[in-house]
């Protein structure tokens, strides 16, 4: 009974300090837990680092692909090249079974497929007209925002979705093409897989869509520039050919041949002269593509499309003659028709028309070009008529010399100088001025004044209330002042600029497409007074000068635009 409690515990196999042992065990366990947690943290960090590395690698690959796309589409102004390169690069980073691109036309009402990669057998082809209100592309264009559909079976909402599903397409993503604030169209990627596209894909497409829109706009502007330059060169060539002869029949033949050459989609070109006495349009020249001379019928003013063009003094385009009530069918296969009145000053002298056996054969560019050609034709025809009637043979030869001279250059200052030199010499005047209307300043600017060998250019703009030239431009009518020294007569701008006395003044407006753009004023005919014949001759010269000025201005604008586009293209390549 004398043993201690501890001795008894030992005798029975019981540890004398169980609490301490447990605590030691707990400490050991806690250390292992701490070590395990540290290891887990290291493992999590490694996994996170691996994930971040993978994301950075993917992001770097995307950036590289975007840069490749930007570089590729910025290096070409051929739009088909741009499309091929863009969608080939895009397929490498986003992937698709079919890619399509649709653009709005100039009216903003029609959306047409312009590029397609991956035929799916659902009827969608290049040239397909898409409904704006019932297609994924139309929706994207109208809303101006992207549309992502992961499952077309559940998200069918447009008319063409049924055919897409039949072709095996199950998901798509559509992105608007926006240049500045204007929506040009949209492109759509489609896949046979469900959930093929996600938010990261949207982000990639947003990055490249703006680049593609800019490339499309640049290509469009470049194409427009090429077309306008071609037009200027064509009109320049026509003008040069028209001044080679004053024989009326030859002039008419040159005009119809030039019309077919400059607008090759036409099958036939016809010139009708206006017989005012009988109010009839009489065919004078006809040319067919590869068929020699053709035939055309007479028609009354006000009847038929040409008759309406004469009455209304405007170009008329009929894309489908079967649907136009004014078209007079004479048993021909004409399906589209473009008629432009030939106007000299304010007088219609006839029409120049083109037709085709194809519907909707002509464009707005064709109409603009034919109007410009008709303006040149009217002047050439009038010159030939004057020559043919043997009126003032010497003056007409001088007129032809002036027209030839101003047709030989597209430099505006040279055109003005050559024009005034020719006018002063032909009319035998002491001095003359050519003034152009400055619409921004609301006045007339003397651009070229000649007094013998002395030339001057005015710095200030004169109001349209000042002088003889102001009245002529304001009213659009020529003015002949036999005695400018009489009290109450309007002043001569030429005399004021040169500090000389004006004894007699002749001033005619410069008219282009029924719009007055300036005036030509001459003073003091040497040895005699001005006559009505002088006024008629100066009017004819002014018509040619107005066209030469317009061509020179257009050429200068196009040249400046071409230089700016080249600089912009160079800068875009530098920043890539």
């Amino acid at each position: 009974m004398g043993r201690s409690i501890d001795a008894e515990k030992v005798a029975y196999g019981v540890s004398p300090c169980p609490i301490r042992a447990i605590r030691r065990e707990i400490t050991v366990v806690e250390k292992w837990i701490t070590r395990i947690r540290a290891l887990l943290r290291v493992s999590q960090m490694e996994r996170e680092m691996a994930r971040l590395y993978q994301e950075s690698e993917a992001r770097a690959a995307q950036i590289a692909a975007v840069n490749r796309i930007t570089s590729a589409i910025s290096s070409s102004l051929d739009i088909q090249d741009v499309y091929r390169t863009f969608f080939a690069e895009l397929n490498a980073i986003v992937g698709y079974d079919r890619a399509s691109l649709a653009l709005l036309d100039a009216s903003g009402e029609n959306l047409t497929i312009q590029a397609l990669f991956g035929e799916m057998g659902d009827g969608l082809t290049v040239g397909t007209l898409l409904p704006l209100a019932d297609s994924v592309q139309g929706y994207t264009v109208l809303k101006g925002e992207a549309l992502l559909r992961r499952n077309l079976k559940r998200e069918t909402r447009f008319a063409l979705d049924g055919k897409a599903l039949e072709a095996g397409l199950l998901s798509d993503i559509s992105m608007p093409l926006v240049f500045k604030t204007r929506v040009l169209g949209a492109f759509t990627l489609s896949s046979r897989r469900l959930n093929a596209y996600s938010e990261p894909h949207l982000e990639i497409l947003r990055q490249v869509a703006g680049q593609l829109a800019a490339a499309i706009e640049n290509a469009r502007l470049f194409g427009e520039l090429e077309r306008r330059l071609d037009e200027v060169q064509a009109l320049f060539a026509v003008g040069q050919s028209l001044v080679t002869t004053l024989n009326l029949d030859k002039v008419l033949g040159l005009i119809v041949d030039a019309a077919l050459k400059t607008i090759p989609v036409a099958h036939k070109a016809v010139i009708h002269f206006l017989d005012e006495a009988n109010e009839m349009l009489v065919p004078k020249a006809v040319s067919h593509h590869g068929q020699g001379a053709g035939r055309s019928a007479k028609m009354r003013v006000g009847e038929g499309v040409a008759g309406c063009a004469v009455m209304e003094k405007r170009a008329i385009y009929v894309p489908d003659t079967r649907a136009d009530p004014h078209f007079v069918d004479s048993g021909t296969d004409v399906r589209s028709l473009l008629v432009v009145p030939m106007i000299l000053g304010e007088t219609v002298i006839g029409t120049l028309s083109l037709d085709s056996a194809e519907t909707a054969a002509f464009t707005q560019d064709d109409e603009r070009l034919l109007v410009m050609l008709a303006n040149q034709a009217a002047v050439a025809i009038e010159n030939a008529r004057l020559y043919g009637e043997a009126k003032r043979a010497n003056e007409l030869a001088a007129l032809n010399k002036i027209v030839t001279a101003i047709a030989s250059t597209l430099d505006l200052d040279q055109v003005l100088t050559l024009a005034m030199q020719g006018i002063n010499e032909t009319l035998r005047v002491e001095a003359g001025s050519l003034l152009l209307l400055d619409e921004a300043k609301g006045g007339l600017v003397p651009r070229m004044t000649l007094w013998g060998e002395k030339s001057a250019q005015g710095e200030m703009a004169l109001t349209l209330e000042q002088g003889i030239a102001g009245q002529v431009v304001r009213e659009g009518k020529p003015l002949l002042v036999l005695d400018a020294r009489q009290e109450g007569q309007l002043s001569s701008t030429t005399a004021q600029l040169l500090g000389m006395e004006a004894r007699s003044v002749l001033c005619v407006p410069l008219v282009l497409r029924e719009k007055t753009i300036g005036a030509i004023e001459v003073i003091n005919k040497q040895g005699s007074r001005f006559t009505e014949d002088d006024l008629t001759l100066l009017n004819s010269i002014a018509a040619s000068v107005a066209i030469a000025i317009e061509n020179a201005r257009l050429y200068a604008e196009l040249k400046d635009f071409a230089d700016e586009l080249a600089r912009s293209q160079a800068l875009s390549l530098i920043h890539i």
Side-chain angles (χ1 to χ4, degrees):
M1 296 294 294
R3 291 188 299 175
S4 66
I5 296 173
D6 286 342
E8 289 180 357
K9 289 180 178 179
V10 171
Y12 287 100
V14 179
S15 172
C17 298
I19 294 175
R20 291 187 187 136
I22 290 171
R23 285 176 178 171
R24 282 196 300 271
E25 292 294 329
I26 289 173
T27 300
V28 171
V29 170
E30 286 177 344
K31 287 180 179 179
W32 277 107
I33 289 173
T34 300
R35 291 176 181 173
I36 291 170
R37 284 177 176 170
L39 290 172
L40 287 173
R41 280 196 297 272
V42 170
S43 178
Q44 289 173 347
M45 289 177 63
E46 288 177 344
R47 286 197 298 272
E48 181 64 15
M49 288 178 66
R51 185 185 66 80
L52 292 174
Y53 176 77
Q54 289 175 349
E55 287 184 357
S56 65
E57 284 285 299
R59 182 63 175 165
Q62 290 176 6
I63 292 173
V66 169
N67 287 338
R68 285 198 306 274
I69 290 174
T70 302
S71 175
I73 64 178
S74 299
S75 63
S76 175
L77 286 171
D78 183 318
I79 195 60
Q80 295 303 324
D81 248 4
V82 169
Y83 292 153
R84 283 191 294 270
T85 302
F86 177 82
F87 286 107
E89 292 288 348
L90 197 60
N91 197 24
I93 55 174
V94 177
Y96 58 79
D97 290 304
R98 182 177 66 195
S100 62
L101 183 143
L103 296 179
L104 288 168
D105 65 3
S107 70
E109 298 177 355
N110 300 310
L111 188 64
T112 308
I113 295 291
Q114 302 292 335
L116 189 69
F117 299 91
E119 289 286 344
M120 299 304 298
D122 58 351
L124 201 65
T125 60
V126 172
T128 299
L129 193 65
L130 300 174
L132 268 174
D134 200 12
S135 65
V136 62
Q137 296 89 344
Y139 175 90
T140 304
V141 167
L142 292 175
K143 293 290 185 179
E145 58 187 35
L147 179 62
L148 168 63
R149 298 190 294 174
R150 293 179 170 87
N151 188 340
L152 288 183
K153 291 180 178 179
R154 296 178 181 176
E155 300 177 77
T156 300
R157 55 196 298 185
F158 303 114
L160 298 178
D161 287 348
K163 290 185 177 179
L165 284 170
E166 290 176 6
L169 298 174
L170 299 178
S171 58
D172 61 27
I173 185 170
S174 189
M175 181 66 58
L177 293 166
V178 183
F179 180 74
K180 295 183 178 178
T181 58
R182 182 164 56 94
V183 180
L184 307 181
F187 68 88
T188 303
L189 306 181
S190 304
S191 176
R192 290 191 177 95
R193 295 183 296 111
L194 291 172
N195 302 306
Y197 305 110
S198 59
E199 293 298 327
H201 293 125
L202 277 176
E203 181 59 29
I204 295 171
L205 297 187
R206 286 192 181 99
Q207 291 180 50
V208 298
Q211 300 291 336
L212 179 57
I216 290 171
E217 184 65 9
N218 284 341
R220 185 193 68 79
L221 291 174
F222 182 73
E224 176 70 12
L225 173 64
E226 284 192 318
R227 285 193 297 275
R228 297 298 292 274
L229 284 172
D230 288 343
E231 289 176 7
V232 171
Q233 291 172 352
L235 291 171
F236 185 61
V238 170
Q240 287 186 313
S241 67
L242 289 179
V243 298
T244 61
T245 180
L246 285 171
N247 179 280
L248 183 58
D249 290 336
K250 289 182 179 179
V251 167
L252 296 178
L254 287 171
I255 292 168
V256 289
D257 289 343
L260 289 181
K261 183 177 180 180
T262 53
I263 307 176
V265 294
H267 294 166
K268 184 176 69 177
V270 183
I271 287 178
H272 282 84
F273 274 4
L274 176 60
D275 180 351
E276 290 184 298
N278 297 310
E279 294 189 338
M280 294 286 292
L281 281 170
V282 182
K284 288 293 183 179
V286 184
S287 180
H288 281 258
H289 262 315
Q291 299 178 27
R295 61 184 182 84
S296 188
K298 293 182 179 181
M299 62 190 75
R300 290 194 172 278
V301 174
E303 295 179 355
V305 178
C308 291
V310 170
M311 290 287 291
E312 298 174 17
K313 289 187 176 182
R314 67 178 181 89
I316 297 179
Y317 173 40
V318 180
D320 189 347
T321 57
R322 293 168 295 187
D324 192 284
H326 298 292
F327 178 70
V328 178
D329 190 355
S330 57
T332 65
D333 59 351
V334 174
R335 287 294 172 262
S336 52
L337 179 64
L338 178 58
V339 182
V340 174
M342 295 186 295
I343 302 173
L344 191 68
E346 295 182 356
T347 304
V348 178
I349 64 171
T351 62
L352 174 58
S353 60
L354 298 176
D355 65 49
S356 172
E358 306 294 330
T359 57
F362 304 108
T363 65
Q364 290 181 342
D365 291 335
D366 296 331
E367 182 176 325
R368 183 181 66 250
L369 185 54
L370 193 62
V371 167
M372 297 172 73
L373 181 58
N375 291 333
Q376 285 189 323
V379 174
I381 289 169
E382 182 65 13
N383 292 343
R385 273 179 166 174
L386 290 173
Y387 184 81
E389 293 169 2
K391 290 181 179 179
R392 307 183 66 185
N394 293 335
E395 288 84 353
L396 286 175
L399 170 61
N400 189 44
K401 181 180 177 182
I402 293 172
V403 174
T404 302
I406 62 178
S408 66
T409 179
L410 286 171
D411 180 84
L412 181 58
D413 289 333
Q414 288 186 24
V415 167
L416 301 181
T417 301
L418 291 169
M420 289 313 304
Q421 286 175 344
I423 289 169
N424 287 3
E425 180 183 348
T426 300
L427 294 177
R428 301 190 308 279
V429 298
E430 290 183 3
S433 294
L434 194 152
L435 305 94
L436 294 180
L437 183 62
D438 186 334
E439 294 182 343
K441 296 180 180 179
L444 282 173
V445 178
R447 285 297 305 271
M448 179 55 62
T449 299
L450 286 183
W451 179 15
E453 298 296 323
K454 180 181 177 182
S455 65
Q457 290 187 351
E459 295 278 304
M460 61 180 182
L462 308 172
T463 70
L464 297 185
E465 304 300 322
Q466 291 180 271
I468 293 171
Q471 177 179 319
V472 167
V473 172
R474 189 173 67 250
E475 297 179 359
K477 296 179 180 178
L479 185 61
L480 172 58
V481 180
L482 295 177
D483 190 350
R485 294 167 293 187
Q486 288 185 357
E487 186 176 348
Q489 288 288 0
L490 294 170
S491 61
S492 162
T493 302
T494 305
Q496 288 180 331
L497 285 170
L498 297 173
M500 61 187 296
E501 181 187 58
R503 299 185 300 276
S504 57
V505 181
L506 176 58
C507 188
V508 299
L510 287 166
V511 181
L512 187 71
R513 295 191 290 276
E514 299 185 35
K515 180 181 179 182
T516 302
I517 64 170
I520 295 175
E521 180 186 86
V522 292
I523 64 172
N524 304 343
K525 184 168 182 177
Q526 298 173 357
S528 61
R529 291 185 174 185
F530 291 117
T531 65
E532 289 295 327
D533 287 339
D534 293 323
L535 188 149
T536 300
L537 178 59
L538 189 56
N539 252 334
S540 298
I541 295 172
S544 297
V545 172
I547 291 173
I549 289 171
E550 180 69 2
N551 288 344
R553 279 176 166 173
L554 179 60
Y555 179 78
E557 290 173 3
L558 291 174
K559 187 175 183 300
D560 290 343
F561 182 77
D563 292 342
E564 183 61 30
L565 185 61
R567 285 193 294 270
S568 174
Q569 187 71 13
L571 286 173
S572 67
L573 291 173
I574 289 172
H575 291 298
I576 292 172

